[in-house]
Amino acid sequence: MNDHTPAELDVTTRILHLGLAICGTWAWWLGDDAHDFHRVDHSGYILHMWVGLSFAAFLLLRLGYGFFGPRSQRFSTWVPYTRARFAHVMADVRTLMRFRIPDPVTHQGLNAAIISLALLLFTFQGISGTIMSLSITPGARPEHWLRPIIELHGAGGVWIPTYLGLHVGATVVHALTRNQIWKKMVFMK
């Protein structure tokens, strides 16, 4: 695949996207209830932990698919780390600065940059959440070394809704301009 051919979204990619979207949004939604881990009744933490671990499992599958899956879905074919791919990102930014909408091409330009950043942040959330699930004893105060991880993991309460707003907002804007990408993702058309 060259830098100008859009990636085809296969069924596996769509299922992984759906799993990440559902489990990730649900885990974020439950995040405020997860601060009860040191209390006797820590049901909010337990639910958040299990949904978060489900998210981490989907993320691990997506990362594996990004390294070992079909060529069109591999990170090496679309993450904007080459000069040409980064130029495409900047071209999309310049288009937005002219109050125009870039063509929605899956895994290219600004789309690829935002997905790459999101996957990095999701990976941090998944790793930190897994560390906490293995290290926190419900009903007891966490060990001192774990507190910075808990605080950084809690920052997801800010960046996750920001990312969701950006992602859903871009989907809505594209739908309003008759680029029905969401139908491709949801209905596999």
Side-chain angles (χ1 to χ4, degrees):
M1 181 173 107
N2 65 37
D3 285 341
H4 302 292
T5 305
E8 287 296 320
L9 297 176
D10 61 355
V11 174
T12 304
T13 299
R14 294 168 196 202
I15 290 169
L16 292 173
H17 180 269
L18 189 61
L20 288 169
I22 291 170
C23 292
T25 303
W26 191 14
W28 163 70
W29 189 263
L30 296 169
D32 283 343
D33 297 331
H35 299 291
D36 65 354
F37 55 83
H38 63 278
R39 296 189 184 125
V40 174
D41 177 18
H42 44 267
S43 56
Y45 167 72
I46 295 297
L47 183 58
H48 176 74
M49 179 189 75
W50 284 111
V51 173
L53 287 173
S54 299
F55 169 79
F58 274 106
L59 180 65
L60 187 61
L61 291 171
R62 176 60 185 103
L63 293 174
Y65 204 60
F67 287 111
F68 306 111
R71 182 156 164 48
S72 65
Q73 300 304 315
R74 288 186 194 162
F75 301 135
S76 62
T77 61
W78 60 266
V79 172
Y81 62 85
T82 66
R83 186 173 294 199
R85 292 181 198 163
F86 189 71
H88 195 154
V89 172
M90 295 313 296
D92 283 355
V93 170
R94 285 190 297 278
T95 300
L96 285 173
M97 291 176 71
R98 290 190 305 267
F99 298 102
R100 297 199 173 169
I101 300 170
D103 290 330
V105 181
T106 305
H107 292 163
Q108 288 190 23
L110 192 55
N111 177 296
I114 290 172
I115 292 170
S116 300
L117 178 61
L119 283 171
L120 282 173
L121 292 169
F122 292 154
T123 300
F124 171 77
Q125 288 296 118
I127 291 171
S128 61
T130 301
I131 289 169
M132 292 183 331
S133 74
L134 295 171
S135 305
I136 289 177
T137 303
R141 294 232 176 253
E143 295 185 34
H144 184 70
W145 67 268
L146 196 55
R147 289 187 187 139
I149 295 173
I150 293 169
E151 291 300 317
L152 288 171
H153 184 80
V158 174
W159 75 260
I160 292 172
T162 303
Y163 173 76
L164 285 172
L166 182 66
H167 187 54
V168 172
T171 302
V172 168
V173 167
H174 285 300
L176 292 173
T177 61
R178 300 208 166 113
N179 289 310
Q180 306 295 333
I181 299 169
W182 69 273
K183 285 183 180 178
K184 234 197 275 188
M185 183 61 77
V186 175
F187 299 114
M188 304 194 189
K189 293 181 179 181

